[in-house]
């Protein structure tokens, strides 16, 4: 399987190459040159398999020669056979005759990002060992990516991780899940500014030869193709349980960076009968506007009770625009250059039509989010987190407005455990969800992080100094 960049000029890479590279060297995002297709018979053949076996089948066409059958099987078994607290890994829960939840939060850090990052950690280990190389991961987090990534790579010999979070703007549970991990390869940087500032620093490091040269930088945010690939698995797993390929299924996906919902698009391209994908946002609704009117224009970020979706620019949307817009890398590069300059762009007709064939966007404000939490609690006895509630609110609006075929099951992705955002849950329904036992004594453990000012150089120089120190240390030992 070969991967190409959305901006057309970076070299094509194999799976191992894209997993380690993250962002393409031309600033674009990698995608498979063509989508693998599953026949109806192949999809039927998945019935009854365990989650890890689903993962092997769905992932196999994407990895090509980068992993042997035996390596892929061992990795999927290790990750999905062990690291999750529920035997089904991502269980389905029925809310009413039409609505379902797909619980994606049974991993170690209580959000869906574990599902992909636990796999990515094992892939890094396998590929770096084989190459005899080291990788310096730099990432920015609004909360959940950071803890999931740190948990996935803590203690790995060949990986050093630097995670930037906006100081004071992540929840206490989220911060503690990052800062109480005691492995020597983990560095938490609390920077002055917003999540978008932190992400801008990280993007700039990838293009800065002063750092991406002396160090080999890797990415763990959802620009990394391997993450999206891992998320395709649970669309197959849930749809097959609900009757695919003989019955269609629709999904409502709480969305920030457009990663999780893009994985649903990939599943549909591969032949899974997905009737509709609902893009559910909070009041930071650039995607809803883009899908409704073709107007993709960024404004300031409004902080909400769903901080993991407080994002104005959705990196992975570029993948959809590229795929729907005829896969023209040069045109995509020009369109994105225009957007970088003006913070606004108009979708082409092909992009709009391609996107509207499958996607609809709905946003939920704070009241609607609280009402969805109340409805889930009262009507179905389920305590849900506010991100999931944004998805459920959009699902219910979509049903009312007939944006979804009334005969198909509608699955809302439950992206976080309610205890991860327990203040907001308690305010909405008066119930304070308990942290599950698997997170241990989170509030008793000592925190470690470094505070830095908001300028780019402060972050870059910290990473340079500390990563090179790590490299010297390890070569001295070797
Ligand atoms: C990251 C995150 C999202 C948004 O996912 P994207 O892939 O960025 O669209 C939604 N909910 C939770 C709880 C998250 O952590």
């Amino acid at each position: 399987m070969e991967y190409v960049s959305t901006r057309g000029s970076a070299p094509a890479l194999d799976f191992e190459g894209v997993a380690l590279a993250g962002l393409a060297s031309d600033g674009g995002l990698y995608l498979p040159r063509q989508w693998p297709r599953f026949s109806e018979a192949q999809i039927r053949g998945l019935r009854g398999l365990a989650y890890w076996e689903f993962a092997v089948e769905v992932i196999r066409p994407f990895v090509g020669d980068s992993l042997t059958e035996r390596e892929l099987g061992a990795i999927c078994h290790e990750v999905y056979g062990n690291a999750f607290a529920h035997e089904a890994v991502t269980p389905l829960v029925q809310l009413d005759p039409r609505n379902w939840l797909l619980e994606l939060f049974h991993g170690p850090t209580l959000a869906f990002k574990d599902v992909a990052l636990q796999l990515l950690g094992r892939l890094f280990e396998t590929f770096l060992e084989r190459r005899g190389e080291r990788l310096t991961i730099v990432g920015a987090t609004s909360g959940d990516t950071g803890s999931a990534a740190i948990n996935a790579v803590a203690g790995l010999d060949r990986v050093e991780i630097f995670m930037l979070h906006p100081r004071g703007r992540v929840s206490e549970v989220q911060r503690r899940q990052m800062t109480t991990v005691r492995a020597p390869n983990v560095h938490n940087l609390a920077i002055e500014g917003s999540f978008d500032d932190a992400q801008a620093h990280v993007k700039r490091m990838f293009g800065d030869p002063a750092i991406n040269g002396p160090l080999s930088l890797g990415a763990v945010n959802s620009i990394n193709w391997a993450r999206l690939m891992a998320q395709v698995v649970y669309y197959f797993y849930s749809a097959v349980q609900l009757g695919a390929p003989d019955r269609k299924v629709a999904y409502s996906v709480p969305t920030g960076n457009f990663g999780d919902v893009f994985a649903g698009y990939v599943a549909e391209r591969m032949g899974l009968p997905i009737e509709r994908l609902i893009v559910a946002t909070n009041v930071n609704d650039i995607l809803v506007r883009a899908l409704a009117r073709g107007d993709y224009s960024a404004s300031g970020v409004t902080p909400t009770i769903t901080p993991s979706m407080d994002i104005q620019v959705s990196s992975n949307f570029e993948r959809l625009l590229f795929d729907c817009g005829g896969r023209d890398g040069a045109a995509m590069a020009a369109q994105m250059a225009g957007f970088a300059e003006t913070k606004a762009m108009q979708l082409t007709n092909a992009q709009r039509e391609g996107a509207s064939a499958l996607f609809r966007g709905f946003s939920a404000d704070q009241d609607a989010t609280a009402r969805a939490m109340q409805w889930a609690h009262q009507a179905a006895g389920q305590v849900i987190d506010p991100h999931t509630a944004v998805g459920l609110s959009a699902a219910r609006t979509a049903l009312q407005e007939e944006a979804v075929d009334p005969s198909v099951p509608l699955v809302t992705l439950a992206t976080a455990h309610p205890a991860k955002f327990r203040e907001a849950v308690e305010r909405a329904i008066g119930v304070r969800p308990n942290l599950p036992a698997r997170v241990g004594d989170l509030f008793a453990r000592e925190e470690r992080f470094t505070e830095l000012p908001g300028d780019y150089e402060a972050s870059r120089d910290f990473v340079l100094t500390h990563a090179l120190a790590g490299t010297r240390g390890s070569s001295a030992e070797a």
Side-chain angles (χ1 to χ4, degrees):
M1 172 67 76
E2 231 189 7
Y3 290 82
V4 296
S5 165
T6 51
R7 302 203 188 166
S9 54
L13 294 177
D14 65 2
F15 177 72
E16 179 176 328
V18 295
L20 293 174
L23 200 65
S25 59
D26 56 7
L29 305 174
Y30 278 109
L31 277 186
R33 192 182 286 287
Q34 70 276 315
W35 301 117
R37 290 285 298 185
F38 281 39
S39 66
E40 289 196 1
Q42 277 175 301
I43 296 172
R44 243 174 246 120
L46 298 169
R47 281 180 187 157
L49 297 185
Y51 190 96
W52 75 268
E53 296 168 312
F54 256 86
V56 170
E57 297 303 318
V58 173
I59 289 172
R60 182 190 288 121
F62 292 108
V63 303
D65 299 332
S66 294
L67 292 172
T68 64
E69 189 68 28
R70 181 190 283 261
E71 285 171 323
L72 177 62
I75 290 173
C76 289
H77 185 259
E78 188 182 329
V79 172
Y80 300 115
N82 291 318
F84 290 80
H86 197 290
E87 214 176 316
V89 182
T90 62
L92 276 166
V93 174
Q94 189 161 18
L95 295 177
D96 73 2
R98 295 295 315 284
N99 285 286
W100 298 74
L101 290 179
L102 181 61
E103 292 185 348
L104 304 177
F105 51 70
H106 294 283
T109 72
L110 314 180
F112 85 91
K113 293 181 172 79
D114 288 324
V115 179
L117 281 163
Q118 289 289 317
L119 181 80
L120 192 61
R122 296 289 290 113
L123 292 173
F124 282 156
E125 200 179 23
T126 306
F127 294 148
L128 292 170
E129 193 64 45
R130 185 188 289 169
R131 293 177 168 209
E133 289 176 8
R134 297 176 56 87
L135 190 68
T136 302
I137 292 168
V138 286
T141 184
S142 53
D144 295 334
T145 294
S147 54
I150 286 170
N151 192 287
V153 305
L156 295 187
D157 287 338
R158 296 179 176 277
V159 175
E160 198 88 26
I161 184 166
F162 294 85
M163 191 51 65
L164 281 62
H165 71 265
R167 186 156 74 91
R169 299 201 198 188
V170 300
S171 80
E172 188 178 3
V173 172
Q174 288 178 319
R175 192 190 68 240
R176 286 183 166 273
Q177 282 181 320
M178 297 192 280
T179 58
T180 60
V181 175
R182 297 202 60 91
N185 65 332
V186 170
H187 309 270
N188 280 290
L189 309 183
I191 73 151
E192 209 61 62
S194 69
F195 166 71
D196 285 319
D197 297 330
Q199 192 172 44
H201 291 349
V202 168
K203 281 193 175 159
R204 199 164 151 194
M205 286 186 215
F206 278 87
D208 181 351
I211 179 166
N212 201 1
L215 298 175
S216 152
L217 296 185
V220 286
N221 56 352
S222 56
I223 60 175
N224 190 310
W225 165 259
R227 263 186 70 177
L228 302 190
M229 173 194 78
Q231 292 168 216
V232 176
V233 176
Y234 50 69
Y235 286 93
F236 272 88
Y237 184 68
S238 55
V240 168
Q241 284 179 57
L242 291 170
D246 303 302
R247 179 157 75 153
K248 290 188 173 188
V249 183
Y251 291 87
S252 176
V253 186
T255 305
N257 237 337
F258 207 75
D260 212 1
V261 73
F262 187 77
Y265 173 78
V266 174
E268 195 272 345
R269 295 284 91 182
M270 292 171 71
L272 194 67
I274 294 181
E275 192 266 338
R276 180 69 71 214
L277 288 170
I278 305 294
V279 176
T281 73
N282 61 30
V283 292
N284 299 294
D285 63 350
I286 182 172
L287 288 165
V288 173
R289 284 181 281 122
L291 291 169
R293 300 194 294 276
D295 158 34
Y296 190 77
S297 54
S299 49
V301 179
T302 306
T304 71
I305 57 169
T306 46
S308 300
M309 297 156 61
D310 288 347
I311 283 170
Q312 268 303 15
V313 179
S314 298
S315 310
N316 283 296
F317 199 52
E318 179 172 339
R319 285 188 156 112
L320 179 70
L321 297 181
F322 175 73
D323 201 49
C324 289
R327 291 197 158 224
D328 180 343
M332 198 70 234
Q335 200 176 9
M336 294 311 295
F339 179 74
E341 216 164 273
T342 61
K343 294 281 167 256
M345 69 186 181
Q346 202 55 37
L347 272 51
T348 66
N349 284 341
Q351 288 168 337
R352 284 185 69 170
E353 280 160 25
S356 65
L358 194 58
F359 295 92
R360 290 286 184 282
F362 295 97
S363 67
D365 63 15
Q366 195 137 326
D367 284 346
T369 307
R371 278 199 305 278
M373 282 190 268
Q374 288 153 6
W375 181 80
H377 190 227
Q378 284 155 15
Q382 292 290 319
V383 177
I384 62 171
D385 107 286
H387 300 79
T388 306
V390 168
L392 185 59
S393 173
R396 286 163 46 81
T397 310
L399 284 172
Q400 265 158 26
E401 298 194 3
E402 297 177 5
V404 179
D405 180 330
S407 72
V408 307
L410 175 51
V411 179
T412 296
L413 302 196
T415 51
H417 191 289
K420 200 159 188 182
F421 300 94
R422 52 190 176 170
E423 282 77 23
V425 174
E426 189 174 15
R427 273 197 303 277
I429 64 169
V431 173
R432 188 170 174 84
N434 288 324
L435 278 169
R438 66 182 179 279
V439 302
D441 57 345
L442 194 61
F443 287 85
R445 294 203 295 267
E446 191 194 330
E447 293 191 74
R448 281 194 318 176
F449 59 93
T450 306
E451 295 188 356
L452 289 177
D455 58 298
Y456 168 69
E457 285 74 18
S459 294
R460 180 193 65 188
D461 294 346
F462 185 94
V463 176
L464 258 177
T465 323
H466 291 79
L468 288 172
T471 309
R472 273 200 300 278
S474 84
S475 53
E477 283 157 29

mmCIF file of all heavy atoms in Angstrom, residues 111-113 144-145 222 227 231 254-261 308-309 311 385 387 415-416 421, ligand 1:
data_model
loop_
_atom_site.group_PDB
_atom_site.id
_atom_site.type_symbol
_atom_site.label_atom_id
_atom_site.label_comp_id
_atom_site.label_asym_id
_atom_site.label_seq_id
_atom_site.Cartn_x
_atom_site.Cartn_y
_atom_site.Cartn_z
ATOM 1 N N ALA A 111 -10.663 8.014 27.336
ATOM 2 C CA ALA A 111 -11.227 8.658 26.143
ATOM 3 C C ALA A 111 -10.936 7.792 24.915
ATOM 4 O O ALA A 111 -10.076 6.913 24.948
ATOM 5 C CB ALA A 111 -10.673 10.064 25.946
ATOM 6 N N PHE A 112 -11.647 8.056 23.822
ATOM 7 C CA PHE A 112 -11.534 7.181 22.643
ATOM 8 C C PHE A 112 -10.131 7.174 22.056
ATOM 9 O O PHE A 112 -9.769 6.257 21.321
ATOM 10 C CB PHE A 112 -12.560 7.608 21.579
ATOM 11 C CG PHE A 112 -12.109 8.720 20.678
ATOM 12 C CD1 PHE A 112 -11.454 8.445 19.489
ATOM 13 C CD2 PHE A 112 -12.342 10.038 21.007
ATOM 14 C CE1 PHE A 112 -11.037 9.470 18.646
ATOM 15 C CE2 PHE A 112 -11.930 11.070 20.172
ATOM 16 C CZ PHE A 112 -11.269 10.780 18.990
ATOM 17 N N LYS A 113 -9.342 8.182 22.365
ATOM 18 C CA LYS A 113 -8.020 8.268 21.743
ATOM 19 C C LYS A 113 -7.119 7.093 22.118
ATOM 20 O O LYS A 113 -6.210 6.755 21.380
ATOM 21 C CB LYS A 113 -7.389 9.605 22.084
ATOM 22 C CG LYS A 113 -8.168 10.745 21.405
ATOM 23 C CD LYS A 113 -7.591 12.103 21.672
ATOM 24 C CE LYS A 113 -8.260 13.168 20.835
ATOM 25 N NZ LYS A 113 -9.577 13.594 21.364
ATOM 26 N N ASP A 144 -7.133 15.290 25.876
ATOM 27 C CA ASP A 144 -7.225 13.832 25.785
ATOM 28 C C ASP A 144 -6.105 13.184 24.967
ATOM 29 O O ASP A 144 -5.649 12.095 25.292
ATOM 30 C CB ASP A 144 -8.585 13.440 25.214
ATOM 31 C CG ASP A 144 -9.718 13.824 26.156
ATOM 32 O OD1 ASP A 144 -9.473 13.910 27.372
ATOM 33 O OD2 ASP A 144 -10.827 14.059 25.676
ATOM 34 N N THR A 145 -5.672 13.844 23.897
ATOM 35 C CA THR A 145 -4.582 13.258 23.103
ATOM 36 C C THR A 145 -3.335 13.115 23.949
ATOM 37 O O THR A 145 -2.634 12.107 23.892
ATOM 38 C CB THR A 145 -4.243 14.151 21.888
ATOM 39 O OG1 THR A 145 -5.354 14.163 21.015
ATOM 40 C CG2 THR A 145 -3.041 13.621 21.134
ATOM 41 N N SER A 222 -4.032 13.482 15.313
ATOM 42 C CA SER A 222 -4.747 12.699 14.308
ATOM 43 C C SER A 222 -4.336 13.064 12.883
ATOM 44 O O SER A 222 -4.917 12.566 11.940
ATOM 45 C CB SER A 222 -6.258 12.814 14.504
ATOM 46 O OG SER A 222 -6.669 14.156 14.475
ATOM 47 N N ARG A 227 -3.395 6.494 13.209
ATOM 48 C CA ARG A 227 -4.466 6.677 14.183
ATOM 49 C C ARG A 227 -5.830 6.544 13.527
ATOM 50 O O ARG A 227 -6.718 5.869 14.023
ATOM 51 C CB ARG A 227 -4.360 8.060 14.832
ATOM 52 C CG ARG A 227 -3.657 8.011 16.149
ATOM 53 C CD ARG A 227 -3.688 9.355 16.826
ATOM 54 N NE ARG A 227 -5.017 9.734 17.296
ATOM 55 C CZ ARG A 227 -5.267 10.839 17.957
ATOM 56 N NH1 ARG A 227 -4.279 11.681 18.237
ATOM 57 N NH2 ARG A 227 -6.487 11.135 18.358
ATOM 58 N N GLN A 231 -9.046 3.700 13.986
ATOM 59 C CA GLN A 231 -10.415 4.072 14.335
ATOM 60 C C GLN A 231 -11.434 3.508 13.342
ATOM 61 O O GLN A 231 -12.618 3.403 13.655
ATOM 62 C CB GLN A 231 -10.525 5.604 14.441
ATOM 63 C CG GLN A 231 -9.741 6.126 15.645
ATOM 64 C CD GLN A 231 -9.566 7.634 15.663
ATOM 65 O OE1 GLN A 231 -8.537 8.101 16.079
ATOM 66 N NE2 GLN A 231 -10.545 8.387 15.219
ATOM 67 N N PRO A 254 -19.058 13.219 17.742
ATOM 68 C CA PRO A 254 -18.578 14.470 18.335
ATOM 69 C C PRO A 254 -17.216 14.815 17.728
ATOM 70 O O PRO A 254 -16.296 13.992 17.774
ATOM 71 C CB PRO A 254 -18.428 14.137 19.826
ATOM 72 C CG PRO A 254 -19.153 12.854 20.043
ATOM 73 C CD PRO A 254 -19.174 12.133 18.738
ATOM 74 N N THR A 255 -17.106 16.009 17.160
ATOM 75 C CA THR A 255 -15.970 16.275 16.280
ATOM 76 C C THR A 255 -15.193 17.513 16.680
ATOM 77 O O THR A 255 -15.775 18.542 17.037
ATOM 78 C CB THR A 255 -16.488 16.461 14.837
ATOM 79 O OG1 THR A 255 -17.242 15.311 14.476
ATOM 80 C CG2 THR A 255 -15.347 16.622 13.859
ATOM 81 N N GLY A 256 -13.866 17.400 16.594
ATOM 82 C CA GLY A 256 -12.987 18.547 16.775
ATOM 83 C C GLY A 256 -12.086 18.675 15.563
ATOM 84 O O GLY A 256 -12.300 19.488 14.666
ATOM 85 N N ASN A 257 -11.083 17.794 15.513
ATOM 86 C CA ASN A 257 -10.111 17.830 14.419
ATOM 87 C C ASN A 257 -10.548 17.034 13.189
ATOM 88 O O ASN A 257 -9.767 16.830 12.273
ATOM 89 C CB ASN A 257 -8.771 17.283 14.930
ATOM 90 C CG ASN A 257 -7.658 18.292 14.750
ATOM 91 O OD1 ASN A 257 -7.746 19.183 13.908
ATOM 92 N ND2 ASN A 257 -6.601 18.145 15.517
ATOM 93 N N PHE A 258 -11.767 16.537 13.171
ATOM 94 C CA PHE A 258 -12.322 15.771 12.044
ATOM 95 C C PHE A 258 -11.621 14.425 11.848
ATOM 96 O O PHE A 258 -11.666 13.834 10.780
ATOM 97 C CB PHE A 258 -12.254 16.587 10.740
ATOM 98 C CG PHE A 258 -13.305 16.212 9.724
ATOM 99 C CD1 PHE A 258 -14.617 16.605 9.884
ATOM 100 C CD2 PHE A 258 -12.982 15.469 8.593
ATOM 101 C CE1 PHE A 258 -15.592 16.260 8.958
ATOM 102 C CE2 PHE A 258 -13.947 15.117 7.659
ATOM 103 C CZ PHE A 258 -15.252 15.509 7.834
ATOM 104 N N GLY A 259 -10.965 13.922 12.905
ATOM 105 C CA GLY A 259 -10.261 12.654 12.767
ATOM 106 C C GLY A 259 -11.200 11.462 12.885
ATOM 107 O O GLY A 259 -11.275 10.608 11.999
ATOM 108 N N ASP A 260 -11.943 11.433 13.993
ATOM 109 C CA ASP A 260 -12.813 10.301 14.266
ATOM 110 C C ASP A 260 -13.862 10.144 13.167
ATOM 111 O O ASP A 260 -14.118 9.045 12.679
ATOM 112 C CB ASP A 260 -13.488 10.557 15.626
ATOM 113 C CG ASP A 260 -13.780 9.283 16.387
ATOM 114 O OD1 ASP A 260 -13.441 8.197 15.889
ATOM 115 O OD2 ASP A 260 -14.344 9.388 17.489
ATOM 116 N N VAL A 261 -14.462 11.239 12.753
ATOM 117 C CA VAL A 261 -15.523 11.144 11.745
ATOM 118 C C VAL A 261 -14.935 10.837 10.363
ATOM 119 O O VAL A 261 -15.558 10.158 9.541
ATOM 120 C CB VAL A 261 -16.419 12.409 11.748
ATOM 121 C CG1 VAL A 261 -15.723 13.613 11.159
ATOM 122 C CG2 VAL A 261 -17.747 12.154 11.052
ATOM 123 N N SER A 308 -12.270 19.241 24.429
ATOM 124 C CA SER A 308 -11.567 18.464 23.396
ATOM 125 C C SER A 308 -12.112 18.762 21.998
ATOM 126 O O SER A 308 -11.596 18.257 21.008
ATOM 127 C CB SER A 308 -11.681 16.975 23.687
ATOM 128 O OG SER A 308 -11.104 16.709 24.948
ATOM 129 N N MET A 309 -13.165 19.563 21.925
ATOM 130 C CA MET A 309 -13.707 19.957 20.630
ATOM 131 C C MET A 309 -13.636 21.476 20.441
ATOM 132 O O MET A 309 -14.237 22.012 19.521
ATOM 133 C CB MET A 309 -15.161 19.482 20.525
ATOM 134 C CG MET A 309 -15.264 17.966 20.586
ATOM 135 S SD MET A 309 -16.868 17.356 21.141
ATOM 136 C CE MET A 309 -17.933 18.009 19.868
ATOM 137 N N ILE A 311 -11.925 23.726 18.938
ATOM 138 C CA ILE A 311 -10.913 23.805 17.894
ATOM 139 C C ILE A 311 -11.523 24.601 16.747
ATOM 140 O O ILE A 311 -12.689 24.399 16.420
ATOM 141 C CB ILE A 311 -10.543 22.367 17.451
ATOM 142 C CG1 ILE A 311 -9.617 21.734 18.486
ATOM 143 C CG2 ILE A 311 -9.931 22.337 16.075
ATOM 144 C CD1 ILE A 311 -9.380 20.271 18.290
ATOM 145 N N ASP A 385 -20.834 11.689 29.102
ATOM 146 C CA ASP A 385 -19.962 12.857 29.231
ATOM 147 C C ASP A 385 -20.443 13.957 28.273
ATOM 148 O O ASP A 385 -21.214 13.684 27.344
ATOM 149 C CB ASP A 385 -18.504 12.445 28.956
ATOM 150 C CG ASP A 385 -18.014 12.946 27.628
ATOM 151 O OD1 ASP A 385 -18.425 12.398 26.580
ATOM 152 O OD2 ASP A 385 -17.257 13.931 27.612
ATOM 153 N N HIS A 387 -19.006 15.579 25.796
ATOM 154 C CA HIS A 387 -18.658 15.401 24.376
ATOM 155 C C HIS A 387 -19.633 14.440 23.708
ATOM 156 O O HIS A 387 -20.144 14.693 22.617
ATOM 157 C CB HIS A 387 -17.227 14.882 24.235
ATOM 158 C CG HIS A 387 -16.196 15.789 24.823
ATOM 159 N ND1 HIS A 387 -15.949 15.825 26.171
ATOM 160 C CD2 HIS A 387 -15.371 16.702 24.259
ATOM 161 C CE1 HIS A 387 -15.010 16.726 26.413
ATOM 162 N NE2 HIS A 387 -14.639 17.282 25.272
ATOM 163 N N THR A 415 -17.331 9.327 23.334
ATOM 164 C CA THR A 415 -15.887 9.527 23.168
ATOM 165 C C THR A 415 -15.133 9.649 24.483
ATOM 166 O O THR A 415 -13.913 9.545 24.475
ATOM 167 C CB THR A 415 -15.612 10.769 22.300
ATOM 168 O OG1 THR A 415 -16.343 11.874 22.826
ATOM 169 C CG2 THR A 415 -16.016 10.526 20.866
ATOM 170 N N ALA A 416 -15.820 9.910 25.590
ATOM 171 C CA ALA A 416 -15.106 9.991 26.874
ATOM 172 C C ALA A 416 -15.944 9.394 27.982
ATOM 173 O O ALA A 416 -17.185 9.391 27.938
ATOM 174 C CB ALA A 416 -14.761 11.436 27.215
ATOM 175 N N PHE A 421 -15.011 14.271 32.885
ATOM 176 C CA PHE A 421 -15.544 15.645 32.863
ATOM 177 C C PHE A 421 -16.653 15.748 33.906
ATOM 178 O O PHE A 421 -17.767 16.165 33.635
ATOM 179 C CB PHE A 421 -16.036 15.976 31.450
ATOM 180 C CG PHE A 421 -14.941 15.887 30.436
ATOM 181 C CD1 PHE A 421 -14.727 14.723 29.723
ATOM 182 C CD2 PHE A 421 -14.072 16.955 30.245
ATOM 183 C CE1 PHE A 421 -13.682 14.618 28.815
ATOM 184 C CE2 PHE A 421 -13.027 16.864 29.346
ATOM 185 C CZ PHE A 421 -12.827 15.689 28.639
HETATM 186 C C1 LIG B 1 -10.466 14.334 20.684
HETATM 187 C C2 LIG B 1 -11.857 14.237 21.170
HETATM 188 C C3 LIG B 1 -12.943 14.522 20.330
HETATM 189 C C4 LIG B 1 -12.768 15.024 18.913
HETATM 190 O O1 LIG B 1 -12.203 14.031 18.080
HETATM 191 P P1 LIG B 1 -11.580 14.431 16.660
HETATM 192 O O2 LIG B 1 -11.008 13.164 16.134
HETATM 193 O O3 LIG B 1 -10.536 15.472 16.944
HETATM 194 O O4 LIG B 1 -12.677 14.964 15.832
HETATM 195 C C5 LIG B 1 -14.227 14.331 20.831
HETATM 196 N N1 LIG B 1 -14.423 13.921 22.107
HETATM 197 C C6 LIG B 1 -13.409 13.642 22.943
HETATM 198 C C7 LIG B 1 -13.710 13.214 24.336
HETATM 199 C C8 LIG B 1 -12.091 13.787 22.506
HETATM 200 O O5 LIG B 1 -11.084 13.494 23.337
#
